[in-house]
Amino acid sequence: MKKEIRFLQGSEEVRKTEESESRTIEGYAAVFDSDSRDMGFTERLDRHCFDGVIERSDVVALYNHSETPGVLARSVNGEGTLRLSIDDHGLRCEFDAPNTQLGNDMLESVRRGDIRGMSFAFTTEKDNWEHDAENNYKRTILKVDRLYDVSLVVTPAYDATSVETKGLDELKAKELLDQRKEAAPDNWYYDNLRKSIY
């Protein structure tokens, strides 16, 4: 399974809590009922796609999906300094910025509004692909297999190298095969019959 990174529109809700001395940063790394940016297809998260995932994942809070500057918080099987929960809106994240250079930098950047977005890295266990009458491909993530990180990001953008398009490729191949069947059903049937016999 290939690790995917997504920013879904509507998850630009990262903020520092209102208390003046608080070091708590909170927001949504993923939201339900919101289409992704166009990646050659659009994507949505099923409301139950994260069921049981927090309890079986080792998740770190990062800056721009990189461990190089350091780790901001961590949740191992739902326990730790990174507090993850699922609500009606999506995947909610909360952590207290550590008293480190990275933690202080992130706290100040969120406080100033320079960082306003989050995204998440994951692998998919189950998804569904559709092709509508307007020639749009749509993917619904039905079940996330593992959650790897939630990240504060400067420019919430989709990483083109991280897309899992196996299901899209299979859907397109099936559609092509269906078109061939419709064009010459008799020839297609006899060609496949000959292949199965010989």
Side-chain angles (χ1 to χ4, degrees):
M1 260 179 275
K2 188 175 183 181
K3 188 181 347 178
E4 304 182 57
I5 296 173
R6 288 296 184 280
F7 166 78
L8 298 181
Q9 292 176 1
S11 46
E12 295 179 48
E13 297 182 23
V14 64
R15 63 189 178 278
K16 180 191 165 299
T17 56
E18 296 302 316
E19 301 168 32
S20 61
E21 297 303 313
S22 174
R23 294 184 63 85
T24 302
I25 295 174
E26 59 185 21
Y28 285 87
V31 294
F32 304 129
D33 299 324
S34 179
D35 287 336
S36 69
R37 295 178 180 175
D38 189 351
M39 305 176 276
F41 61 92
T42 57
E43 188 170 77
R44 276 190 166 235
L45 297 173
D46 182 85
R47 288 189 163 271
H48 300 285
C49 70
F50 290 113
D51 288 357
V53 173
I54 294 170
E55 295 79 12
R56 67 172 184 268
S57 294
D58 185 351
V59 187
V60 289
L62 301 174
Y63 171 60
N64 277 337
H65 297 285
S66 175
E67 293 177 13
T68 301
V71 173
L72 294 162
R74 184 176 213 148
S75 169
V76 179
N77 302 326
E79 300 292 326
T81 55
L82 174 59
R83 298 173 294 279
L84 299 170
S85 60
I86 309 299
D87 62 23
D88 288 339
H89 190 63
L91 173 63
R92 188 174 186 283
C93 314
E94 182 180 310
F95 62 91
D96 297 323
N99 191 15
T100 61
Q101 186 65 50
L102 177 62
N104 294 334
D105 289 349
M106 294 300 98
L107 191 61
E108 182 63 16
S109 293
V110 169
R111 183 180 292 137
R112 288 166 35 110
D114 298 332
I115 293 178
R116 292 177 292 178
M118 294 187 84
S119 64
F120 64 108
F122 66 103
T123 51
T124 302
E125 181 178 322
K126 185 177 180 185
D127 59 5
N128 181 57
W129 289 89
E130 296 175 3
H131 187 193
D132 66 21
E134 289 82 36
N135 202 30
N136 299 311
Y137 288 95
K138 296 183 179 184
R139 180 191 193 197
T140 302
I141 296 177
L142 301 173
K143 186 76 177 149
V144 169
D145 178 50
R146 289 266 191 256
L147 186 61
Y148 294 94
D149 73 69
V150 292
S151 286
L152 297 171
V153 288
V154 174
T155 307
Y158 163 71
D159 179 359
T161 63
S162 68
V163 148
E164 179 59 62
T165 59
K166 180 182 175 202
L168 177 60
D169 295 338
E170 289 172 355
L171 178 59
K172 287 182 177 180
K174 181 186 177 305
E175 289 176 342
L176 182 60
L177 184 61
D178 289 345
Q179 289 171 358
R180 288 180 182 162
K181 283 181 191 178
E182 289 175 17
D186 293 336
N187 291 340
W188 180 88
Y189 172 78
Y190 289 116
D191 285 345
N192 278 322
L193 184 60
R194 277 193 288 278
K195 287 177 189 174
S196 67
I197 294 171
Y198 303 108

